[in-house]
Amino acid sequence: MDRRYTLLAILVVLLAAGLLIIPNKGEKKEIKPDKLLLAINDQARFLSTDAITERIIGGDPTLQLIDVRPAKQFNTYALPNAVNIPLDSILSPSWTELLHQPGKDKVFYSNGDIESDAAWQVCTRNGIPGVFVMKGGLNHWYNTIIKGAEPSNTASGTDLDLYSFRQSARQYFTGSGDQETAQSGNDASTQKPAKVSVERKPAEKSSGGGC
Amino acid sequence: MVAPLIPMGVIPESWNNVFAVILGFGFGFALESAGFSSSRKIIGTFFGYDFVVLKVFFTAAITAMIGLLYLSYIGWLDFSLLYIHPTFLASAIIGGIVMGIGFSMGGYCPGTSFCGIAIGKIDAMIFMVGMAIGVLIFSEAFPLLEKLYNSGNLGGKLVSDSLGMSKSLFAFLLTVVAVGMFFGATWVEKKVRKVEY
């Protein structure tokens, strides 16, 4: 046998043996407790129901909604394009790829935000980046988007804008901008003709010059 | 600066394809240098007169394995950020059998067939046509095979974790086995009648 070949074989075995001598650095993927504490105290993980709704309507491809409720509840009602990963199977290997998708915001939601926040903590501790929680969960989403109360006459412009956005969102999700109709389904006796509000744009002023 | 450079954001993700091309050239060059553009080489492993395929690929695997572990130890590489391809047990076994039959029938693997084509081998070109037909059949039959294709997903699993041993111990054992195999293969080559090609 070639002597060079034997020498190289001995070298590679020695290098591999060297691995046994060097101390084993903790191979845990988990993040350190102090980093986790910082992340828990940071409220930036909470996304509002309005922000989520806007992204759903806009068809944001970077949004990945994850429903952590049990499958039965998910099948009854879920947000559009959401994936069901019940909290107890969040660490299942079949979801690893989905949770590690780069460039996606993985937003957890449940009925409130206790289960979704638990899912967030497990994932954050496991070193999964880009995970968020829908603040208030589906209950809050229903109360604001579907059942949102009309602001008073003295409400600020921001509140009025928000209300008008929620009204359009309601129309998107239920097919009707009217709250009563949205809640009572297709019951004809309760249906009222939808008010059509016409927004008039101020006449455009001609610009001074231009090309 | 800690590797892997792309997940760490040192190099933008858009460079992935550029590296793929560069590595592809390197891989093709290594295959051709090792003589893999000849179908008799891969077939040699099957008939026992040439074990270069086994030696080249095992050397590549143990070199990369030892290198990664040392780089991780000196802190130049974050092991947890490496992408580990998920293990699909059932489809890997069936796919392995199909590929194995294809390799020993044709004398090429997908990579080496392109090496063969690059130097004008006719058998490699025919092999590639066969491969394209196989790809077409698989794509058309995918709805039937989809369940099998996705079954038995074990996630990014490492052999060392499954055996409950440290990465270093596994690396050492694998290296010893590989080196033992190299010498064993050379011994078999001497016993089997030499094939000239």
Side-chain angles (χ1 to χ4, degrees), chain A residues 1 5-6 9-10 12-20 22-25 27-29 93-97 102, chain B residues 55 62 66 69-70 72-73 75 80 83 86 153-155 166-169 171-172 175-176 179 182-183 186 190:
Chain A
M1 177 158 299
Y5 191 85
T6 316
I10 293 170
V12 83
V13 173
L14 285 178
L15 276 171
L19 288 171
L20 295 175
I22 58 176
N24 196 357
K25 288 208 290 189
E27 284 170 1
K28 278 185 185 168
K29 285 181 185 173
S94 35
W95 299 116
T96 317
E97 220 167 328
Chain B
K55 289 175 188 168
I62 57 175
I66 295 171
L69 288 173
Y70 272 110
S72 167
Y73 171 69
S80 64
Y83 175 71
N153 184 0
L154 301 178
S166 71
K167 285 194 187 77
S168 314
L169 180 62
F172 175 69
T175 310
V176 171
V179 170
F182 295 163
F183 285 101
T186 313
K190 275 183 191 160

Side-chain angles (χ1 to χ4, degrees), chain B residues 21-156:
Chain B
V21 171
I22 297 171
L23 290 176
F25 274 117
F27 186 55
F29 182 77
L31 289 180
E32 164 58 21
S33 309
F36 289 0
S37 48
S38 166
S39 55
R40 293 185 181 97
K41 206 89 179 170
I42 291 187
I43 279 293
T45 315
F46 188 69
F47 288 114
Y49 62 80
D50 194 335
F51 285 100
V52 168
V53 180
L54 181 111
K55 289 175 188 168
V56 167
F57 280 104
F58 254 102
T59 309
I62 57 175
T63 310
M65 178 180 67
I66 295 171
L68 281 178
L69 288 173
Y70 272 110
L71 284 178
S72 167
Y73 171 69
I74 55 177
W76 285 10
L77 176 116
D78 185 346
F79 214 96
S80 64
L81 285 178
L82 290 181
Y83 175 71
I84 297 163
H85 201 77
T87 304
F88 292 88
L89 215 50
S91 37
I93 292 171
I94 294 171
I97 293 171
V98 173
M99 293 278 271
I101 294 172
F103 283 15
S104 40
M105 273 168 64
Y108 284 110
C109 79
T112 58
S113 74
F114 281 95
C115 279
I117 292 169
I119 58 164
K121 295 253 174 160
I122 294 166
D123 58 349
M125 292 175 198
I126 293 168
F127 185 88
M128 199 208 67
V129 172
M131 204 160 66
I133 295 171
V135 169
L136 183 75
I137 294 172
F138 176 75
S139 315
E140 290 301 321
F142 188 70
L144 296 173
L145 300 170
E146 195 172 359
K147 215 174 164 193
L148 170 73
Y149 183 79
N150 289 320
S151 65
N153 184 0
L154 301 178

